[in-house]
Amino acid sequence: MTIAPEVSVRRERSAAVPVVVAAAMAPLLVWLVADPLLGARLEVFTPRGAVELGAPQILIAGVLSALAGWGLRGLLDRFAPRRGRTIWAVAAVLVLALSCLPLTDPAISTSTRLWLGLMHVVVGAVLIPGLGRRRDDRHPAPGSRG
């Protein structure tokens, strides 16, 4: 029995949704520990002055990062299906490393730098392996245990 291609694509998308949601929520959980629980004030500096990061900014950044990762993975599945997994892993690790570069700004406090760095890492820790699985890993064959 074969599955129609559109059903397979729908399954792929639905399998990635929990990963995307978890990656979007992960930095918010870190923020909840840092700011409300421990009182760490997360502040970054822009040309307009200091900006304190709150839940909305953290959530928006998490959602955008997760959607960008999902989009890239989808493009790789479509245009480089045989090498998509490897390209995904390399690209995602590279983007994670590059995303941490602004944290080297000496104007950012050590506390903010550490908390934001942790947020970047938890998003990567969810997205990279979560979206890096092969299609067969995400969908066990009918009748198999897995």
Side-chain angles (χ1 to χ4, degrees):
M1 175 179 171
T2 60
I3 297 175
E6 59 274 0
V7 173
S8 177
V9 168
R10 226 177 293 131
R11 271 197 198 151
E12 280 298 310
R13 288 184 187 142
S14 65
V17 169
V19 173
V20 170
V21 170
M25 297 304 291
L28 189 58
L29 294 175
V30 172
W31 176 83
L32 284 170
V33 171
D35 194 326
L37 287 178
L38 299 178
R41 192 168 163 218
L42 304 180
E43 191 174 66
V44 294
F45 299 92
T46 68
R48 295 183 180 178
V51 175
E52 187 171 350
L53 299 177
Q57 293 93 341
I58 301 299
L59 184 60
I60 289 167
V63 167
L64 291 176
S65 300
L67 291 175
W70 189 15
L72 175 60
R73 186 61 175 136
L75 287 172
L76 291 171
D77 283 346
R78 181 175 177 101
F79 296 109
R82 297 180 78 193
R83 289 175 275 135
R85 188 175 179 191
T86 303
I87 295 169
W88 161 254
V90 171
V93 169
L94 225 123
V95 168
L96 175 59
L98 291 173
S99 77
C100 292
L101 282 179
L103 301 177
T104 62
D105 182 354
I108 298 174
S109 72
T110 302
S111 172
T112 297
R113 189 174 296 135
L114 291 173
W115 285 112
L116 290 178
L118 181 58
M119 288 179 200
H120 286 235
V121 169
V122 297
V123 170
V126 173
L127 279 181
I128 294 169
L131 295 179
R133 293 180 289 180
R134 286 188 308 221
R135 291 178 183 202
D136 350 1
D137 295 344
R138 292 185 218 162
H139 306 292
S144 71
R145 294 180 183 211

